[in-house]
Amino acid sequence: QGRTHAAVASYNNHWGVPLTLARMPADTAFAVIEIGMSNPGEITPLSRLARPDVALITTVAPAHLASFESIEGIAHEKASLMDGLTPGQGIAILNADIATTPILVYHARALGVERVMFGTAEAADWRLGQVQQTEDSVQAQAQAGDLPILFKLGGPGAHHAMNALGVLAACKALGADLVRAVLGL
């Protein structure tokens, strides 16, 4: 739906994010910039450098507990993905199903950015329904407000349906055509 730029690998650190941005062609319409962390304080400078229009936080998991005292500490660091959003214009796409969702929502409110929630929870704006898996695909039903959505992923792993729903919410937030985005999955 427009020229899209992304890193050639998982370049999500203090070297990779600037490299990805420096390699981005001037006529890029959309960019996918992964921002990762190993230690506290790493995400905010990268988010401010990338200046995203939309920040998508798929989950908060204990993968980084070696560098953080708690899962809540990880959530606070991941919330800083929103620090590069423009207040009043930026959109945070947040997982409504995780225990640390309130931390993410609080950060978005403090920054004055719009929040769009995705997940299976009642509070989700983009709500995942039935998910079916075969050995080579995943089919999922979802609801975005009053709009029913049916999508298929070409690979196994029912857990991928949740991330795909977040991606669809991000596509819509960026002004992309949702039908074309669903077909692109």
Side-chain angles (χ1 to χ4, degrees), residues 29-52:
F30 301 101
V32 179
I33 309 296
E34 178 188 1
I35 298 176
M37 65 172 178
S38 297
N39 297 292
E42 291 181 336
I43 290 180
T44 293
L46 297 174
S47 179
R48 289 184 175 150
L49 180 66
R51 298 180 317 165

Side-chain angles (χ1 to χ4, degrees), residues 3 7 88 90-93 98 103 108 124-125 127 130 142 156 166 172 174:
R3 186 167 185 178
I91 301 171
I93 312 291
I98 55 178
I103 292 170
D125 304 299
R127 197 160 175 211
Q130 186 176 5
K172 183 68 173 167
L174 289 166

